[in-house]
Structures are given as C-alpha cells and as structure tokens.
Amino acid sequence: MTGNPERVERKRRPGIWLVVVGGLLAIGFSIYAVLAAPDSTSGPLWIVAGWGALVFVYGLYRVIRGPSTLDDPHGGTDANGR
C-alpha cells in the first residue's frame, strides 16, 4: 500500500502554542494587575496570571519532552498506547 502524500508526518513540537498563549496571558495580566490597581484588590487578575503561568510551564514541559505515546499522529489522542 502506498503512502498518502497528504498525510506526511512532520516533526512536531507539541506545546509551542501553550507556551505562547500561556506566556502572553501571564505577562499581560501581570502588567494589567500592577497598573490597574497596585494597592487595591486585584486578586482575580492574579488568578488569571497564575493560570497563564501554569499553561506556560506545561507547554514548556511538552516542548522539551516531545511527542507522547498518547499523541495520535493524525490529531487527537490515542489511549490504546500505540
């Protein structure tokens, strides 16, 4: 059986978008929390900045570790452990 040229497996680094979006959220909301209310209650803004930092750290882990055995090469996940 010949391979489908449209489904060429390329080298991917999962998590790069998590790094970008998480970093933007963390930095953006941290700056906004400091500028908007430096001495009042800006707790919800820091919560979003913390979640952004967690997304950034998880994305960085995925970039460094590389593809997982649970990642399906055609999108989604495969829990069968291929």
Side-chain angles (χ1 to χ4, degrees):
M1 179 180 225
T2 61
N4 190 354
E6 294 177 10
R7 289 198 160 185
V8 175
E9 189 170 334
R10 56 189 170 155
K11 184 172 176 139
R12 294 180 23 189
R13 282 289 181 194
I16 194 72
W17 286 108
L18 292 174
V19 170
V20 171
V21 172
L24 287 175
L25 276 175
I27 291 171
F29 274 92
S30 296
I31 291 171
Y32 185 64
V34 168
L35 295 178
D39 56 347
S40 68
T41 58
S42 60
L45 297 175
W46 287 111
I47 292 172
V48 176
W51 276 105
L54 288 174
V55 169
F56 176 80
V57 168
Y58 179 66
L60 195 62
Y61 166 74
R62 288 298 309 259
V63 167
I64 292 170
R65 187 176 181 288
S68 171
T69 58
L70 293 178
D71 291 333
D72 190 9
H74 303 297
T77 59
D78 178 31
N80 293 330
R82 281 194 282 163

